[in-house]
Amino acid sequence: MTERSYVEVNDLRRVFDVSKPWLNRVLEGGEKQYLKAVDGVSFSIAKGETFALVGESGSGKSTVARMVVGLLPPTSGEVMIDGVSMSSHAALGERQRLRRRIQMIFQDPYASLNPRWQVDRIVAEPIRAFRLIESEKAITDRVGELLSLVGLHPADGRKYPHEFSGGQRQRIAIARALASNAEFIVCDEPTSALDVSVQAQILNLMRDLQDRLGLTYLFISHNLAVVRHMASRIGVMYLGRIVEISNGRELFSQPKHPYTRMLLDAVPDVGMTGRQRIPVKGEIPNPISPPSGCTFNPRCPFANDRCRTEVPPLLGGVACHAIHEGRLAIDAAA
Amino acid sequence: MAEGIQAAPAPQAQPTSWAGRFFDSDVWASFKRSKLTMAAAFLTAVFMAAAVLAGVLSPQDPFDPAQLELMNSRLPPLWNAEGQAPFMLGTDEQGRDILSAILYGLRISLAVGFLGVAFSATLGIALGLIAGYVGGTVDAFIMRVADVQLTFPAILIALLVDGVVKAVLGGQLDEMMTLSVLVFSIGLSFWVQYARTVRGSVMVEKNKDYIAAARLIGLPAPVIMFRHVLPNVLGPVLVIATINLALAIITEATLSFLGTGMPETMPSLGTLIRIGNNYLFSGEWWIVAFPGIALALLVLAINLLGDWLRDALNPRLR
C-alpha cells in the first residue's frame, strides 16, 4: 500500500489462563492450561477503508477487536492507531485523546445499552465524558441531530432502550459511537443478532455514514455475505491466526487458502448448482491443544508432513505451504 | 446532517414522569390485585403515621418524668372497672400511659429499623459492588469475611458489637448514643446479605457490553460502578431491604428485651415488653400485651409487604 496506514497491528498475541484453581490443581494434579486465543496477528487498515475479519466461532476475531480498541491488554504485540501505540504506558496522554476517535459497535444491541438510562443520556455520554460540548442546550441539539442521522426521531431520546426493536437499538449504538466524532469504528458482529431484513438496513446505514463522514471500519463477522457487501479488504482467521488476507473481490473470485475455499464452498449459491464442492470436513480443533504446524492440517485435503510440523508464514497474502510450494494452483475460475 | 436517512415516525406519547410510569407499571397492577398487600400497606402506613405524629396523638410524654404520677401506676385499661380517664390502655409501674409509650416506642423502633437498614444496605452495597467489580483478591477477602460472619446468628453479632462498642465508649451513655450504637450493631450484623446479592448481580452486569462501552470512553472504575452498574443491581436490594426492615425492628426489640438496648427512661417496644414481663405474673397483663401486639402487627405488615414485593419484582412468577 502506498498511503500510510491508519491502523497498524503487529504480531498481536493474547493468551488466556484457563487452568483450574490453584487448590484443585494441587489436590487433583494437572498442569496449568493456556489458551492462545490470538497467535501472531498482523494487519493494517488504511484511512476510510473497511477491513473485515472473518472466521468461525472461537477463531479469535472478537479478541482481536477488543485488543484493538484497548478493552483487553494484549499479551504481546502492538496496536498503533494513527501513530499512537495503544499498549505502551508512555503514550498514556495521547491514548486518552485517541480514545475519543475510536469507538465500538457491539454484537448484542440488547446488552450494549444501559437499560436504566434514557436514550438521549446514553448518546450524550461520550459528549459529556470528553467535554466536547459544554452547554446542555447544545448537547440536546447534538443528540437530536445524531438520532436523525441514524434514522431515528429526535423525540425518541426521551424513551428507554426496551421500547425499541433490535435494529433500532443498533441505530442508537451507532449514534453513540458517532457522538464523540469518532473516525475509527470497530464493529464486532454488528448485525448477527438482527433479522435478515434489518441487517441490510443497518449495513446500508453504516456504509452511508462511511461515505458521508469518512469513517474507517474494522468489521468482525462470520457471515461471508455481509463481509462481501461491506469490506474493501478481508482477513480470514483460523484458530487465532490470519490464514489469508486479500482484497474484497479477489477473496471471492480467487480464494487461495484451502480453508477459505472450504468456507466459500459452504455458502449456498444458486449459480454453483451441480459443481463439485469440497465438503466442510471436521470441526475447529480445541484451541487449548492446537494441532502442530499449520493448525488447519487435520482438516486440509492437501496437507503433507511439512504442514504437520512447520507453521506456514503469511506470504503474498496467504499462509499455506501448498500454495507457497506451488502444489496447489490458485483457482481463478472459482 | 439534520435530515434523517429515512423518515422515522414520530414516537407515540408515553407517560414520561416518574409517577406516571409507576402507575402504569406491572408492580402497581399486582399491588392493586392483592387485598392482603393493600391491607399490609395500610397498616404500615398507619404505624408510620402514628410514629411520626406521636407527639400530637399521645395524651402524655412518656419520656418526661415530670409528667408521670406514681399515683397512676399500674392502672388497667379503660374498659376495666378500675381504669382511669386519659389512660386508654392502662399504665405501667411508673404511671406511664401505655398508649403514649407505644406511640413513642414505635418511633424509636422504626427509627432504629430504618437507620439500621440504611446503614447495613449502604455498607453491603458498597462492599458487594467493590467485590464484584474489582474481583480477584479483594473479592476473595470481602466474601470470606462475609462467609465467616454468616456462620454466626445475626443477633449474636449485634450483641457482640453492642457490647464491644459500649465497653470502648465506656461510662453511662445517653439515650441518643445508645440509639446510635444499636443502629451500628444492627447495621454490622445485616450487611452480608446485601453484599452477596449485589456481588452476584454485579458479576453478571459487568460483562455486558454497555459496561465495555463506558470503559471505552475512558470513564474511571468508580464512575462506571456508581453510574452504570449500581442502578442495574438495586432491584433485588429493595426486596432484601424491606424484609430486613422487619428483621432489624425485631433485632432491636430483642436487644432491648435482653436489656442491652434502649433504657427504661426512653423505652422502645422491646423495652416495654421487658418491663411488662416482670408484672405478667401479678396479673398486670396490659403492660406486656399491648406493646407485644403492636410489635407483632408492625413486623407482620412489613413482612407481608416484603413478600409481595419479592414476588412482584420476580419476572419468573409473573
Side-chain angles (χ1 to χ4, degrees), chain B residues 2-18:
Chain B
E3 82 277 18
I5 286 187
Q6 49 189 190
Q12 287 170 0
Q14 293 262 350
T16 45
S17 73
W18 191 88

Side-chain angles (χ1 to χ4, degrees), chain B residues 69-116:
Chain B
E69 294 274 353
L70 273 180
M71 290 293 289
N72 295 332
S73 70
R74 293 154 79 178
L75 289 172
L78 202 55
W79 55 85
N80 217 298
E82 295 157 47
Q84 273 183 31
F87 309 117
M88 206 198 287
L89 300 179
T91 58
D92 69 359
E93 93 284 6
Q94 298 181 56
R96 193 157 35 198
D97 177 35
I98 294 287
L99 178 65
S100 310
I102 288 177
L103 291 174
Y104 277 85
L106 263 178
R107 194 185 254 184
I108 294 173
S109 290
L110 280 170
V112 171
F114 274 111
L115 291 175

